[in-house]
Amino acid sequence: LSFSSISATVPMASATSSAQGKNIALCLFEKCQLPLLKCITNPKCLANVICINTCNNSPDEIGCQIQCGDLFENTVVGEFNACALSQQSCVPQKPDDGSYPVPTDDMLVKNFDTKLWNGKWYITAGQNPLFDIFPCQVHFFTETSPGKFFGKLNWRIVEPDGEFFTRDALQRFVQDPKQPGHLVNHDNEYLQIGRAH
């Protein structure tokens, strides 16, 4: 099986030069005023922005940014990211570096009945610590029509102090009619593209 986001690029903030930083700031002040104001006055959102900026040019920049999103997510962060990354494209997108390749068609199953997803699924042995190796990870799937289903994804994040908090997301999947083993997720537009399991 294969899962993919709406595009082949990973929409992460790229490392910025001072000129890019100025352009980002101008765009945010012009096009995302309210989400920016909410973000800088919200401790979690501000912490997320600071955390993501510490990831620039790190050896695992994408992984670092994903972990920031896991630690500092709330509705204010979501609103700010939607404006800055998706709606207004203020933050330059990092091009796909091939870290998360899409499997070739010959590696996918030729027939897949999405009814098999209905029910509760526990993730007990994940493959990627960024996406599917979390304590107490359980997902609930419901097929709404052939080839279409929703997943209520639940996972726990370990905080820096060792405490846990539970995260969840509701995502929609659509089976690719040309490649039934390819399940497309259009709900994961920024930062968390890999939450599909």
Side-chain angles (χ1 to χ4, degrees):
L1 293 176
S2 166
F3 296 89
S4 71
S5 67
I6 197 163
S7 68
T9 60
V10 178
M12 301 288 179
S14 62
T16 57
S17 66
S18 59
Q20 285 177 318
K22 180 180 176 185
N23 289 339
I24 291 169
L26 287 172
C27 181
L28 292 173
F29 286 128
E30 290 174 11
K31 299 178 180 178
C32 296
Q33 292 174 355
L34 185 56
L36 176 62
L37 178 62
K38 285 182 179 179
C39 184
I40 62 175
T41 59
N42 180 279
K44 271 202 169 189
C45 191
L46 185 58
N48 185 55
V49 171
I50 292 167
C51 183
I52 286 174
N53 279 292
T54 65
C55 298
N56 288 342
N57 298 316
S58 70
D60 184 24
E61 187 172 349
I62 292 171
C64 178
Q65 291 176 340
I66 289 170
Q67 289 173 337
C68 291
D70 279 340
L71 287 171
F72 302 111
E73 176 65 26
N74 66 19
T75 57
V76 176
V77 173
E79 289 173 22
F80 177 72
N81 286 343
C83 186
L85 297 171
S86 304
Q87 296 161 356
Q88 301 301 328
S89 301
C90 291
V91 179
Q93 304 304 297
K94 187 174 191 81
D96 184 3
D97 67 359
S99 294
Y100 305 99
V102 174
T104 58
D105 288 348
D106 63 318
M107 297 188 70
L108 302 177
V109 296
K110 302 299 176 211
N111 296 304
F112 183 71
D113 184 355
T114 55
K115 279 187 247 176
L116 293 171
W117 282 110
N118 280 328
K120 184 188 297 188
W121 288 71
Y122 291 93
I123 310 301
T124 59
Q127 300 294 310
N128 185 324
L130 295 176
F131 304 126
D132 62 3
I133 301 177
F134 295 99
C136 302
Q137 192 170 1
V138 61
H139 304 329
F140 302 87
F141 293 102
T142 304
E143 184 183 50
T144 56
S145 64
K148 296 179 182 179
F149 60 97
F150 284 89
K152 173 86 161 67
L153 313 180
N154 300 274
W155 67 100
R156 283 179 30 173
I157 302 296
V158 181
E159 295 180 286
D161 64 1
E163 295 292 319
F164 292 97
F165 69 94
T166 300
R167 294 284 313 277
D168 62 75
L170 182 63
Q171 295 184 354
R172 179 177 61 97
F173 299 89
V174 178
Q175 190 172 41
D176 181 342
K178 294 178 185 171
Q179 187 55 266
H182 180 212
L183 306 174
V184 182
N185 174 348
H186 291 285
D187 295 333
N188 237 353
E189 198 169 339
Y190 55 85
L191 295 180
Q192 301 294 324
I193 68 159
R195 287 281 177 231
H197 303 286

